[in-house]
Structures are given as C-alpha cells and as structure tokens.
C-alpha cells in the first residue's frame, strides 16, 4: 500500500528542509518531474511554516540532465536525477526520509521548532 502523506504532515516535515535546488532546461522533455516537484514544493503554505526555506529553480540552457537537491537541517543532502524518477517517487522518498528524521529527533528530545 502506498504511503499516504497529508497536508498537515507535509507542513510539519517541510520544517526539516533548508533548501531545494532544482536544475532543469524547460525545453527538454526529461524535465517533467523537476517541474512538477517545483510546482508542489514552491507553495506559500510551506513558506508560512518554514520562513527559512529556500527553493532555487535554476533554468539551464544546456542539455544536462535535470537534478533536484534537497538540503536538510541536519546537514545531509539528497540528490535526484529527475529524468529517472517520477515526481511522486521523489517526494515520497523525501517525505519518508523526513519522517524518519522527525522520529529520530523526537527520540533524542530535539525539536525542529527550536532551530
């Protein structure tokens, strides 16, 4: 059964994200996932709960493969070649990782709101 992620969950989990760098050529057909992730991440609701969030869309004029890089508050990064993944697969992977990070921080007594 697929992972169900609600608006309330994503509004909490986005607090663990520092930056999202999305590099793509808008005229390349391989960029569908990158553009969809940008559409789903670059929303006001996320900026309201995480004012430090930076979403950086980088428009390329080269035929390089589209990439998406998430940087998290614990200093780790996760990079995707978005031509190899669907947008839903990328986001589910990110949300799943953030749920684990949230559980780990809770077990350690840390709070993302204190950062």
């Amino acid at each position: 059964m697929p992972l169900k992620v609600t608006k309330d969950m994503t509004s909490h989990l986005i607090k663990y994200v520092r930056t999202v760098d999305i590099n793509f050529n808008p005229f390349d057909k391989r960029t569908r996932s990158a553009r969809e992730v940008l559409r789903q991440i670059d929303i006001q609701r996320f900026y309201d709960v995480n004012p430090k969030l930076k979403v950086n869309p980088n428009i390329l004029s080269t035929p390089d493969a589209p990439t998406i890089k998430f940087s998290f508050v614990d200093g780790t990064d996760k990079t995707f070649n978005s031509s190899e993944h669907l947008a839903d697969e990328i986001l589910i992977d990110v949300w799943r990782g953030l749920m684990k990070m949230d559980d780990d921080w809770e077990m350690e007594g840390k709070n993302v709101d204190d950062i």
Side-chain angles (χ1 to χ4, degrees):
M1 185 159 104
L3 180 64
K4 178 70 176 164
V5 183
T6 65
K7 278 186 175 183
D8 291 337
M9 290 170 66
T10 58
S11 293
H12 173 70
L13 294 174
I14 200 68
K15 294 176 185 180
Y16 290 97
V17 178
R18 285 238 168 103
T19 61
V20 182
D21 296 316
I22 303 174
N23 302 301
F24 65 96
N25 181 332
F27 303 110
D28 190 343
K29 291 184 182 201
R30 301 175 296 170
T31 65
R32 280 186 172 163
S33 293
R35 289 181 293 168
E36 180 61 18
V37 168
L38 175 62
R39 186 190 70 78
Q40 291 187 32
I41 291 291
D42 196 26
I43 58 175
Q44 190 60 44
R45 174 171 55 96
F46 287 161
Y47 292 113
D48 291 343
V49 296
N50 184 359
K52 295 179 182 178
L53 175 66
K54 301 284 185 236
V55 177
N56 305 313
N58 299 311
I59 308 302
L60 305 175
S61 61
T62 59
D64 297 335
T67 60
I68 303 170
K69 178 182 174 188
F70 288 84
S71 299
F72 305 110
V73 295
D74 66 351
T76 60
D77 296 329
K78 189 166 229 168
T79 303
F80 298 91
N81 178 342
S82 70
S83 62
E84 299 173 355
H85 304 283
L86 296 173
D88 288 343
E89 294 171 343
I90 293 169
L91 291 172
I92 288 297
D93 192 33
V94 169
W95 297 136
R96 186 176 289 134
L98 291 174
M99 285 178 197
K100 182 175 178 351
M101 187 184 300
D102 185 43
D103 290 343
D104 293 345
W105 279 43
E106 189 174 325
M107 295 295 285
E108 295 172 8
K110 296 180 184 177
N111 188 348
V112 71
D113 295 325
D114 295 338
I115 295 177

